[in-house]
Amino acid sequence: MIREEILMTNKRSVGVRAGPRRVTISDVANHLGISKGTVSRALNGYPDISEGTKLRISRAAERLGYHPLSHAQAIRTGRVRSLGLVLQIDSEDSARPFLADFLGGVTQAASDENWTVTIAAEPTEERVRKTLSRLVDEQKADGFILPRTLKQDGRVTTLLNANVPFVMFGRTEDSRECAWYDVKGEDAMRAATTRLAALGHTRIAHIPGGDQYYYTQLRIEGYEAGLKAAGLAFDPALLAPEAMTRRAGAAAFGELMALPEPPTAIVCAVDRAALGVYRGANARGLRIGREISVIAYDGVPEGAYADPGLTTFAVNSQQAGERLARLLIERIRGADPEDLRELAPATLVERGSDKAPALSSTELAQRLNDQHEIKNV
Amino acid sequence: MIREEILMTNKRSVGVRAGPRRVTISDVANHLGISKGTVSRALNGYPDISEGTKLRISRAAERLGYHPLSHAQAIRTGRVRSLGLVLQIDSEDSARPFLADFLGGVTQAASDENWTVTIAAEPTEERVRKTLSRLVDEQKADGFILPRTLKQDGRVTTLLNANVPFVMFGRTEDSRECAWYDVKGEDAMRAATTRLAALGHTRIAHIPGGDQYYYTQLRIEGYEAGLKAAGLAFDPALLAPEAMTRRAGAAAFGELMALPEPPTAIVCAVDRAALGVYRGANARGLRIGREISVIAYDGVPEGAYADPGLTTFAVNSQQAGERLARLLIERIRGADPEDLRELAPATLVERGSDKAPALSSTELAQRLNDQHEIKNV
DNA sequence: TGCGGCTCCGAAACCGGTTTCGGCAAGAAA
DNA sequence: TTTCTTGCCGAAACCGGTTTCGGAGCCGCA
């Protein structure tokens, strides 16, 4: 009815698209016989518009189906109502299985506020930084979510210098001026360790994550705290080399099994390393959940299909995405980054990889030794 | 040097961000002492600018580091230089494992042309349509990539009516006016069938995909063509009920094994169904690659970790994303949709699930029957 | 009655680009 | 020499919004 009138009076094709023209702010203004400046101020909640006209205007806008064009607003305000996300997608990307959930969370939260998400993906760290700079230069987004934060992160420097709002997924060494969301991996490692100790394990090892991540340090501390709580001494030999992949996990497991007093249980900083432990154990005829117990962290889907299922502390990626988006929007709206920090717990998913030890460390060493001799004969 | 001058002369803070001001088109014009209209036309390749000044202008723009603001351009041109992508992310999303690769492909191609990707995700078909409409209304993207196209797809209607360019990932029943990219699943099914026949299988079944997808029909035809090429008769009993999930795959397998003449080999339209076959075979004491052979399609990562590895026809998702982005950009630039259609082959990944039959169909039936009786006793 | 202050809104400038229109100058045709 | 093109560019309008500025009313108060 009303919408029709407007569409009839200024039917005209714009660009390639034919179709009926959008309802603009001028249409609303003309329809009410007032100036478009007033309409703009009313819709943006300026205080110098009377409540009466504010109501008239918002009702008319609603009826006519007026929605401002974010890029038309942006030219004056500098804000495009979009969140930026530059992913690093490489071959060993541990975040890959969580991507869908994470994106779901981010975009849902953005949609709720009528924002959009601008995304890019690059294979290397350097290209990520370049693309990030480009997006900042061209004002494609009002702020950025930084996944996979490193201990010292170049992206942070870039964005701080450019004075562009951002939120990190994961803490860094120096978090001043930074907003972040993180999961308490250290608590998970601690709980994993005490849990294994309660099952009767006394030789509990830890396979940490990559050194470039701050969380690696935190998780090691969590592991040590768990040992302490269980009354076990920390043995540096049980702190394996770092492993972020299946292959590296298997290698780390090999080193642990070569020890004079090998561990009967292993806490892994990431699921992929744990799946490497499965492989290594398999190759040595050791059964997970019997001779070797494992608890890991992340919650990758493969863990559920492994045999036995991998007991792990799962991260809720969708929630992480959602919270990060909301924090970022608040940040863009001017909130103090120091007030925008959140820690969430990981959830224990009990499957079959953590049981009481079938063999003591000594017996395990004996058995590995026997195998070795058999092979050599 | 030159850049510095400009930055010094008009240093002024805009909005929240402090930082030095961007270089605008006026800066370039003033620096050269010409009008900004001329600069714009030169940079956009209008024919009424002499080659000499074109060169001067593009060089100056380069030196000053001028990049036009896409949203400032958009207000006049209606083009934001962005590709839209609305994902449907639900629990049984088969596309999930490919998402990272796919996004990588799309964003790479977009970046190459200095475009961006605007993304959204919704859990249901209806919400996808709503979000799509919103993005169209607000001109957040110049065109859309439609993944997971259905036989009859509401999104297509929406976009055709709104006269907004789009490209489909997958063909539909009626592809008029549509650009698309697809993988030759029918060829893969045909090759899988002849391959199994060549290994000595004579009872080869097919577990098709969901009826809502057009490819399901195509793949069934491919399967039938394979039978024909191998000189085998088509037996309707060997066309199992559809299966898109592990659970449904196991159920379909159950029905096939209940047949008087059960198949010794199965061609699955999707990997997930094949993994369900693994589960079903396992439960019946049948070994994949021995009593039962399987070849599937998709290339999900779990297939590599299954035991034995799943032989499958893998789709190159990154390439798909890249091609789709390029096709869409061409479409937005005005190319005829009929000229924008591409078919890519799937790649056979040989693992261990397809071997010569260890048992004939009759022997298999006998064995299943024995088991059944044992159970019942 | 005059004056100051406050509320509320219109007019117009502005943001950073694009596009239309018209005119000047040089070369070609008459 | 005059006229008609043609090539090339400046001036200004325009896109759809936001924001500044000022002024018209209305009120209260001296």
Side-chain angles (χ1 to χ4, degrees):
Chain A
M1 314 117 322
I2 293 175
R3 185 153 210 271
E4 299 304 319
E5 289 170 27
I6 290 179
L7 298 181
M8 298 304 279
T9 54
N10 53 17
K11 110 171 24 173
R12 186 199 43 180
S13 65
V14 170
V16 178
R17 307 181 188 172
R21 204 175 65 95
R22 273 188 62 257
V23 177
T24 71
I25 196 169
S26 298
D27 294 329
V28 178
N30 292 339
H31 180 254
L32 261 49
I34 59 180
S35 76
K36 62 176 188 170
T38 303
V39 175
S40 172
R41 280 177 315 218
L43 260 21
N44 289 311
Y46 277 57
D48 63 345
I49 305 291
S50 75
E51 287 306 319
T53 46
K54 261 186 189 169
L55 203 63
R56 276 203 311 146
I57 291 175
S58 61
R59 269 216 275 262
E62 172 81 17
R63 281 210 324 204
L64 299 179
Y66 167 66
H67 298 278
L69 236 39
S70 66
H71 55 263
Q73 299 178 301
I75 177 182
R76 193 75 220 268
T77 63
R79 298 267 194 74
V80 289
R81 288 214 314 271
S82 174
L83 307 180
L85 183 57
V86 183
L87 302 170
Q88 184 171 340
I89 293 184
D90 46 34
S91 48
E92 58 168 87
D93 187 359
S94 59
R96 196 174 286 228
F98 311 116
L99 188 56
D101 288 330
F102 183 71
L103 280 182
V106 171
T107 58
Q108 286 294 334
S111 276
D112 285 351
E113 302 271 357
N114 238 298
W115 288 53
T116 52
V117 177
T118 296
I119 195 174
E122 296 291 346
T124 66
E125 214 177 303
E126 190 186 327
R127 291 192 54 172
V128 165
R129 283 191 59 179
K130 271 183 61 178
T131 299
L132 188 59
S133 296
R134 183 172 72 88
L135 294 181
V136 167
D137 275 358
E138 304 185 6
Q139 301 184 17
K140 296 288 192 174
D142 303 321
F144 292 85
I145 293 175
L146 305 185
R148 281 221 285 185
T149 40
L150 304 177
K151 224 157 46 174
Q152 292 176 336
D153 205 302
R155 297 171 298 176
V156 173
T157 327
T158 304
L159 293 176
L160 280 177
N161 285 339
N163 211 345
V164 172
F166 64 94
V167 184
M168 309 186 300
F169 187 7
R171 291 155 279 179
T172 62
E173 214 152 32
D174 177 11
S175 285
R176 279 174 308 178
E177 304 276 323
C178 295
W180 50 255
Y181 176 95
D182 204 0
V183 181
K184 285 182 272 190
E186 57 274 29
D187 284 11
M189 294 296 105
R190 187 183 192 282
T193 309
T194 57
R195 183 178 167 88
L196 289 167
L199 286 169
H201 294 272
T202 53
R203 296 284 290 167
I204 306 174
H206 179 51
I207 301 182
D211 188 49
Q212 69 271 38
Y213 300 108
Y214 184 55
Y215 69 69
T216 296
Q217 184 180 326
L218 292 174
R219 292 185 200 175
I220 290 176
E221 288 167 12
Y223 158 69
E224 291 179 4
L227 288 179
K228 193 165 182 181
L232 297 172
F234 169 70
D235 178 354
L238 292 182
L239 189 55
E242 66 176 59
M244 293 296 287
T245 63
R246 210 175 278 251
R247 176 187 299 271
F253 179 72
E255 298 216 10
L256 290 173
M257 288 305 109
L259 253 36
E261 291 182 75
T264 58
I266 304 175
V267 176
C268 297
V270 301
D271 278 352
R272 290 192 183 250
L275 293 174
V277 168
Y278 272 62
R279 187 182 290 173
N282 210 33
R284 288 172 180 78
L286 302 174
R287 288 160 302 176
I288 297 294
R290 302 287 303 252
E291 291 83 18
I292 298 290
S293 282
V294 188
I295 299 182
Y297 178 94
D298 269 346
V300 301
E302 292 104 303
Y305 302 130
D307 182 33
L310 175 63
T311 295
T312 191
F313 283 85
V315 172
N316 187 334
S317 306
Q318 185 181 338
Q319 179 184 306
E322 190 212 307
R323 291 306 308 156
L324 281 162
R326 297 205 187 280
L327 290 173
L328 179 53
I329 291 177
E330 287 187 52
R331 177 78 190 91
I332 292 171
R333 289 185 175 148
D336 187 339
E338 318 269 337
D339 297 336
L340 300 174
R341 290 171 180 173
E342 272 185 37
L343 270 178
T347 312
L348 176 63
V349 181
E350 297 185 42
R351 292 196 275 244
S353 64
D354 56 324
K355 302 284 183 187
L359 261 48
S360 72
S361 173
T362 322
E363 292 164 339
L364 178 58
Q366 186 59 45
R367 174 146 158 203
L368 287 162
N369 200 35
D370 292 350
Q371 268 183 2
H372 195 248
E373 284 176 7
I374 291 173
K375 267 195 189 165
N376 282 8
V377 171
Chain B
M1 315 131 324
I2 293 176
R3 184 153 212 271
E4 299 304 318
E5 290 171 25
I6 289 179
L7 298 182
M8 298 303 279
T9 54
N10 52 17
K11 106 173 24 173
R12 184 199 43 179
S13 64
V14 170
V16 179
R17 307 181 188 172
R21 204 174 67 92
R22 273 188 63 256
V23 177
T24 71
I25 196 170
S26 298
D27 294 329
V28 178
N30 291 339
H31 180 255
L32 260 50
I34 59 180
S35 76
K36 62 175 189 171
T38 302
V39 175
S40 172
R41 281 178 313 217
L43 259 23
N44 289 312
Y46 276 57
D48 63 344
I49 304 291
S50 74
E51 287 306 319
T53 46
K54 262 186 190 170
L55 202 63
R56 277 203 311 144
I57 290 175
S58 62
R59 269 216 275 262
E62 172 80 18
R63 280 209 326 204
L64 299 179
Y66 167 67
H67 297 279
L69 236 39
S70 67
H71 55 261
Q73 299 179 301
I75 178 181
R76 192 75 220 268
T77 63
R79 299 268 195 75
V80 289
R81 288 215 314 273
S82 174
L83 307 181
L85 183 57
V86 183
L87 302 170
Q88 185 171 339
I89 293 185
D90 46 35
S91 50
E92 59 168 86
D93 187 0
S94 58
R96 198 175 284 229
F98 311 116
L99 187 56
D101 288 330
F102 183 72
L103 280 182
V106 171
T107 59
Q108 287 294 334
S111 276
D112 284 352
E113 304 270 357
N114 238 298
W115 288 52
T116 52
V117 177
T118 297
I119 195 173
E122 296 289 348
T124 66
E125 214 176 301
E126 190 186 327
R127 292 191 53 170
V128 164
R129 282 192 60 180
K130 271 182 63 178
T131 299
L132 188 59
S133 296
R134 183 171 72 87
L135 294 180
V136 168
D137 275 358
E138 303 185 7
Q139 300 185 16
K140 295 289 193 176
D142 303 320
F144 292 85
I145 293 174
L146 304 185
R148 279 221 285 185
T149 39
L150 304 177
K151 224 158 46 174
Q152 291 177 336
D153 205 302
R155 298 171 296 176
V156 173
T157 327
T158 303
L159 293 176
L160 280 177
N161 284 339
N163 211 345
V164 171
F166 64 95
V167 184
M168 309 186 299
F169 187 8
R171 291 154 279 179
T172 62
E173 213 152 33
D174 177 11
S175 285
R176 280 174 306 177
E177 304 278 321
C178 296
W180 49 256
Y181 176 95
D182 204 359
V183 180
K184 285 181 274 192
E186 58 275 29
D187 284 12
M189 295 295 104
R190 186 183 194 283
T193 308
T194 56
R195 183 179 166 87
L196 289 166
L199 286 169
H201 295 273
T202 53
R203 295 285 289 169
I204 305 175
H206 179 50
I207 301 182
D211 188 49
Q212 69 270 39
Y213 300 108
Y214 184 55
Y215 68 70
T216 296
Q217 182 180 327
L218 292 174
R219 292 185 198 173
I220 290 175
E221 288 168 11
Y223 158 69
E224 291 181 4
L227 287 178
K228 192 166 185 181
L232 296 172
F234 169 69
D235 179 354
L238 292 181
L239 189 54
E242 66 175 59
M244 292 298 286
T245 62
R246 209 175 278 250
R247 176 187 300 270
F253 179 72
E255 299 217 7
L256 290 173
M257 288 304 110
L259 253 36
E261 290 181 76
T264 57
I266 304 175
V267 176
C268 297
V270 302
D271 278 353
R272 292 195 182 246
L275 293 174
V277 167
Y278 272 62
R279 188 182 289 173
N282 210 32
R284 288 172 179 77
L286 302 174
R287 288 160 302 177
I288 299 292
R290 303 286 302 251
E291 292 82 17
I292 298 291
S293 282
V294 187
I295 299 183
Y297 178 94
D298 267 347
V300 301
E302 291 104 303
Y305 303 130
D307 183 32
L310 175 63
T311 295
T312 191
F313 283 85
V315 171
N316 187 334
S317 305
Q318 186 181 337
Q319 179 184 306
E322 190 212 307
R323 292 306 308 156
L324 281 163
R326 296 205 188 281
L327 290 173
L328 179 53
I329 291 178
E330 287 188 54
R331 176 78 189 92
I332 293 171
R333 289 184 174 148
D336 187 338
E338 317 269 337
D339 298 335
L340 300 174
R341 290 172 181 175
E342 271 185 37
L343 270 177
T347 313
L348 176 64
V349 180
E350 298 185 42
R351 293 197 275 243
S353 65
D354 57 323
K355 303 282 183 190
L359 262 45
S360 72
S361 174
T362 322
E363 291 165 339
L364 178 58
Q366 185 59 46
R367 175 146 157 202
L368 287 163
N369 199 35
D370 292 351
Q371 268 182 3
H372 196 249
E373 283 176 6
I374 290 171
K375 267 195 188 165
N376 282 7
V377 171

